[in-house]
């Protein structure tokens, strides 16, 4: 049913899947409504116990614009008996194909449905998407907040965002920042770098790698020489040949090559396919190489920081006070004095000690010995 409702009778949906509203487009929509009126009504449902009798299902941008224009009423389509989940699904359906809904908002909406028990295949069917599309969007939810903001702002494209999302939080930041600051020639190069970082994460540590044997070193050396030699020949022979052919006019080549033209075209077509394949492989290799370098630099930085921390910890430990050594020295002196006392005690019982000896023996508690003498 359709009705004309007062603006204050409608409340925004707190579960609205969209969170970002572009200010420039908001102003543009306000101008259009002011000039032409509201051409498409908002969609609402009756609610109880809220601040307003109706809650938005779809059309929050239009409702915001009408409210900003201080319109008294707004045309609305009222849907009765719609529960929270149905309203949320309708809200997603209204927004999911709009250009101004960010990819992270879309991913969050699908995640809410998945949490409610929906399977990716069911979500895909409901919104006219492929299951792969839904799974890829859900995969973006592992992005750390800073990187997700870059995706929402359009600084990182969707496909690259998915590759970055597969990394741990620290490497996500490394890949994102290097791409944003322009370290890569293309998005594909950035993807290869992210994949390389993922490979590094799968490894244990660089120091845990087994050192190659002498035979393996020789094999690597031979493979390197062979590859470099082959690429060198291609650079010396093939590139000048292709450059020479590129300078000729099509009509001239038609005469020069004659009946062999079709065969040469097939050869060059095959060559082009192989070159594209090798280029892709080399690009992936470069990504892995850059990732290895980044991983090594990170490990080196961590080792350096650990060394600095240990040094600072050692310097922060208080030195033992010098006075602590004095009691030990006194104890040693006492220990040295004790044998002399024992020798004195070993003298015959009948011998009378001198006054000097008596004075010396007083601190050593001779009382037990005297009692033993008296007993005899």
């Amino acid at each position: 049913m359709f009705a004309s409702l007062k603006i204050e009778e409608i409340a925004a949906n707190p579960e609205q899947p969209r969170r970002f509203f572009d200010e420039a487009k908001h102003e543009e929509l306000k101008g259009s409504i002011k000039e032409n009126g509201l051409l498409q009504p908002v969609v609402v449902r009756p609610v109880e116990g809220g601040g307003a009798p109706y809650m938005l299902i779809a059309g929050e941008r239009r409702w915001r614009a009408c409210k900003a224009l201080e319109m008294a009423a707004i045309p609305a389509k009222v849907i009765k008996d719609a529960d929270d989940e149905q309203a949320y699904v309708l809200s997603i359906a209204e927004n999911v194909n709009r250009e101004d809904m960010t990819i992270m908002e879309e991913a969050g909406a699908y995640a809410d449905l998945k949490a409610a028990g929906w399977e990716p295949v069911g979500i895909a069917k409901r919104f006219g998407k492929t299951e792969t599309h839904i799974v890829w969007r859900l995969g973006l939810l592992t992005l750390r907040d800073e990187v997700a903001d870059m995706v929402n702002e359009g600084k990182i494209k969707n496909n690259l965002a998915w590759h970055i999302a597969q990394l741990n939080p620290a490497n996500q930041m490394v890949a994102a920042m290097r791409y944003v600051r322009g370290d890569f020639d293309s998005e594909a190069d950035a993807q290869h770098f992210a994949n390389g970082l993922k490979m590094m994460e799968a490894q244990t540590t660089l120091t845990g790698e087994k050192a190659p044997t002498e035979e393996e070193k020789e094999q690597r050396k031979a493979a390197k020489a062979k590859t470099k030699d082959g690429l060198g020949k291609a650079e010396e022979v093939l590139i000048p040949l292709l450059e020479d052919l590129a300078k000729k006019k099509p009509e001239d080549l038609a005469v020069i090559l004659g009946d062999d033209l079709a065969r040469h075209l097939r050869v060059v077509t095959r060559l082009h396919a192989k070159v594209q394949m090798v280029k892709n492989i080399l690009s992936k290799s470069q990504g892995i190489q850059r990732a290895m370098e980044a991983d090594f630099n990170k490990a080196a930085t961590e080792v350096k920081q650990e060394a600095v921390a240990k040094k600072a910890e050692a310097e922060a430990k208080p030195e033992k006070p010098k006075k602590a050594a004095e009691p030990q020295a006194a104890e040693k002196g006492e220990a040295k004095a004790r044998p002399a006392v024992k020798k004195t005690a070993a003298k015959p019982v009948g011998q009378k000690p001198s006054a000097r000896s008596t004075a010396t023996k007083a601190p050593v508690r001779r009382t037990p010995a005297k009692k033993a003498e008296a007993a005899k």
Side-chain angles (χ1 to χ4, degrees):
M1 117 182 171
F2 289 89
S4 179
L5 302 177
K6 294 179 180 179
I7 290 287
E8 60 268 20
E9 290 182 318
I10 303 173
N13 181 5
E15 301 299 326
Q16 158 71 261
R18 291 180 58 192
R19 297 287 183 267
F20 176 75
F21 293 89
D22 186 86
E23 187 63 29
K25 291 184 178 180
H26 173 70
E27 292 297 324
E28 183 181 336
L29 181 59
K30 278 173 56 180
S32 175
I33 294 174
K34 186 176 182 180
E35 186 69 24
N36 306 304
L38 186 61
L39 302 179
Q40 183 180 359
V42 298
V43 182
V44 300
R45 63 175 176 132
V47 291
E48 295 180 359
Y54 297 95
M55 182 177 290
L56 277 169
I57 292 177
E60 184 167 340
R61 286 182 67 247
R62 300 190 293 277
W63 173 75
R64 284 170 176 256
C66 291
K67 191 175 182 180
L69 290 170
E70 299 182 350
M71 293 174 59
I74 184 173
K77 179 181 179 181
V78 182
I79 298 180
K80 296 181 179 180
D81 303 324
D83 59 21
D84 291 344
E85 184 173 324
Q86 290 172 333
Y88 191 69
V89 170
L90 290 172
S91 180
I92 296 173
E94 199 257 350
N95 286 292
V96 75
N97 290 317
R98 291 182 179 273
E99 292 183 0
D100 53 358
M101 185 179 194
T102 71
I103 187 174
M104 298 307 301
E105 289 173 340
E106 184 185 355
Y110 296 150
D112 289 340
L113 291 178
K114 192 172 183 294
W118 288 58
E119 294 295 331
V121 63
I123 299 173
K125 185 177 179 180
R126 180 65 177 81
F127 299 108
K129 306 291 183 181
T130 64
E131 185 178 356
T132 301
H133 177 93
I134 303 300
V135 172
W136 270 57
R137 292 297 185 269
L138 291 173
L140 295 175
L141 296 176
T142 58
L143 287 172
R144 57 187 293 168
D145 292 341
E146 302 93 331
V147 181
D149 290 341
M150 295 179 194
V151 177
N152 271 335
E153 294 165 6
K155 295 178 180 178
I156 298 176
K157 296 182 180 179
N158 300 349
N159 287 339
L160 175 58
W162 185 87
H163 287 277
I164 294 177
Q166 309 311 304
L167 303 172
N168 64 41
N171 280 337
Q172 284 183 17
M173 208 64 194
V174 171
M177 290 305 300
R178 289 195 61 170
Y179 175 74
V180 169
R181 75 186 186 190
D183 285 359
F184 307 106
D185 295 332
S186 66
E187 184 181 352
D189 287 345
Q191 289 180 15
H192 296 327
F193 176 71
N195 293 337
L197 288 177
K198 187 64 179 177
M199 290 177 62
M200 294 300 102
E201 290 179 5
Q203 294 181 2
T204 51
T205 59
L206 291 176
T207 55
E209 293 181 356
K210 184 180 177 182
T213 63
E214 291 300 323
E215 183 180 355
E216 289 172 337
K217 288 180 180 180
E218 289 299 323
Q219 290 176 351
R220 291 182 185 181
K221 186 176 179 181
K224 180 179 180 180
K226 181 179 179 181
T227 303
K228 288 180 68 176
D229 183 58
L231 291 173
K233 289 180 179 178
E235 187 176 5
E236 293 174 5
V237 178
L238 191 56
I239 292 178
L241 173 61
L242 294 176
E243 288 176 344
D244 183 59
L245 288 171
K247 294 176 183 178
K248 289 182 169 55
K249 296 180 180 179
E251 54 268 29
D252 293 337
L253 287 174
V255 174
I256 294 170
L257 297 176
D259 296 339
D260 291 330
L261 178 57
R263 182 173 66 85
H264 288 304
L265 180 59
R266 288 194 298 270
V267 170
V268 172
T269 301
R270 287 179 59 194
L271 181 62
H272 178 264
K274 294 296 182 183
V275 167
Q276 289 285 61
M277 184 185 301
V278 172
K279 179 186 176 184
N280 187 45
I281 292 173
L282 290 177
S283 180
K284 290 180 179 179
S285 302
Q286 186 180 48
I288 293 172
Q289 187 182 67
R290 287 171 169 173
M292 290 173 67
E293 181 183 354
D295 190 65
F296 183 84
N297 290 339
K298 179 183 175 184
T301 301
E302 290 175 352
V303 170
K304 185 176 180 181
Q305 290 174 344
E306 183 180 354
V308 171
K310 285 183 177 179
K311 183 179 179 182
E313 184 181 354
E315 291 176 350
K317 286 184 178 180
E319 294 183 2
K320 293 182 179 180
K322 295 181 179 179
K323 292 182 179 180
E326 294 177 1
Q328 296 178 359
E331 290 176 4
K332 289 180 180 179
E334 184 180 351
K336 289 180 179 179
R338 283 175 184 169
V341 174
K342 288 181 181 179
K343 287 180 180 179
T344 306
K347 291 181 179 181
V349 178
Q351 185 177 353
K352 187 177 179 181
S354 64
R356 184 176 178 182
S357 300
T358 305
T360 307
K361 294 173 186 175
V364 191
R365 295 185 180 180
R366 296 290 296 169
T367 307
K370 290 180 180 179
K371 286 183 178 180
E373 184 178 354
K376 289 181 181 180

